[in-house]
Amino acid sequence: MGSTGSVTSAESLAAAASAELPAAVGSADAVESSAAVESPAACASPDAKAQSPQTSANHTVWHTGGWRDAAGEPGNYAWLHGAMPVGEDRDYDAYAAACAVDDWVSANIPADRDIVPLGFSQGGLVAVHLLRINPERYRAVISLSGFNAPGQVPGTAPADDRLADYDIPVFYTYGKNDGVVPKYELFATAAWLEEHTWLKTKSYHGLDHNVSLEEFADLRQWLLDNDITSGVL
């Protein structure tokens, strides 16, 4: 889940399987859960939805997997309208994308299975935003080189006030040489996650807006530490 890939690219949404992390980081999978989770009406904010890009007068519309033009023609998929929208635009985009994913999860994944969203770049924002609309449904979150929505628009992050109560594990990492997401965005995201989740964060020398084997090794250990995988990765 990320800025410009198709839904089967490494910059798309995924979830960790009980024994392995899917190689195609765009498939939807799940891990076993010991108890069913009843999801609240996370995306029932009429004010936010009315102004979200899903239903706005913009020339792009949401389809499963990303934004397309008004005729629904596929192209370079993205979760957000721009590479890094700012302010209220980012809130609306993050909310619309997270709601689309959350609706898909609700319709396709049994409620008694844990979901661990994984996203890169824009996808990291959407993965984290799933916690901000429906923290009861998601076991943990992995955000690689992601950033965060400011939460300025009422109703676009309805679970923020209760998120910290769940202490949900989050793995958030990025490269020290990232030239796409500004450092102040990376630092602000880490600070916000520290306040609202059970955060594991690390930055990597020499890494730009990309991923690395060292990062994946740390991710593997984090999955083991949080009992998300059996270790067969």
Side-chain angles (χ1 to χ4, degrees), residues 5-230:
S6 75
V7 288
T8 57
S9 77
E11 296 185 4
S12 54
L13 178 73
S18 57
E20 60 181 308
L21 200 66
V25 200
S27 60
D29 208 334
V31 290
E32 298 291 346
S33 171
S34 59
V37 177
E38 183 175 352
S39 299
C43 293
S45 170
D47 291 340
K49 272 199 175 253
Q51 299 177 65
S52 77
Q54 263 184 304
T55 54
S56 74
N58 289 327
H59 296 294
T60 50
V61 291
W62 176 264
H63 290 255
T64 301
W67 299 102
R68 304 185 184 183
D69 65 26
E73 294 299 322
N76 289 327
Y77 297 143
W79 291 103
L80 313 179
H81 274 98
M84 286 193 65
V86 298
E88 293 185 354
D89 288 342
R90 190 185 298 179
D91 280 343
Y92 289 131
D93 275 8
Y95 176 78
C99 282
V101 173
D102 191 58
D103 288 347
W104 187 94
V105 168
S106 178
N108 292 277
I109 304 295
D112 63 348
R113 293 177 68 87
D114 283 347
I115 306 294
V116 179
L118 181 156
F120 173 82
S121 191
Q122 287 188 359
L125 177 149
V126 178
V128 168
H129 213 81
L130 288 167
L131 299 183
R132 302 180 71 177
I133 63 170
N134 191 3
E136 295 82 2
R137 184 63 186 94
Y138 299 96
R139 167 73 171 80
V141 161
I142 300 161
S143 175
L144 309 177
S145 301
F147 47 102
N148 207 18
Q152 297 172 349
V153 178
T156 56
D160 277 3
D161 289 344
R162 69 179 189 274
L163 177 55
D165 296 338
Y166 293 94
D167 219 15
I168 296 172
V170 170
F171 183 86
Y172 176 61
T173 50
Y174 55 88
K176 290 183 178 294
N177 292 354
D178 194 319
V180 175
V181 181
K183 281 186 169 57
Y184 66 83
E185 292 273 8
L186 297 168
F187 297 161
T189 299
W192 189 93
L193 290 170
E194 183 70 51
E195 182 179 350
H196 290 84
T197 69
W198 183 17
L199 178 64
K200 171 68 174 181
T201 186
K202 184 176 178 180
S203 58
Y204 298 88
H205 290 285
L207 182 64
D208 56 11
H209 195 62
N210 210 327
V211 294
S212 70
L213 291 178
E214 181 185 0
E215 190 174 21
F216 286 152
D218 290 336
L219 173 56
R220 178 184 183 277
Q221 186 60 51
W222 177 84
L223 291 168
L224 290 168
D225 292 343
N226 288 278
D227 198 27
I228 296 171
T229 175
S230 65

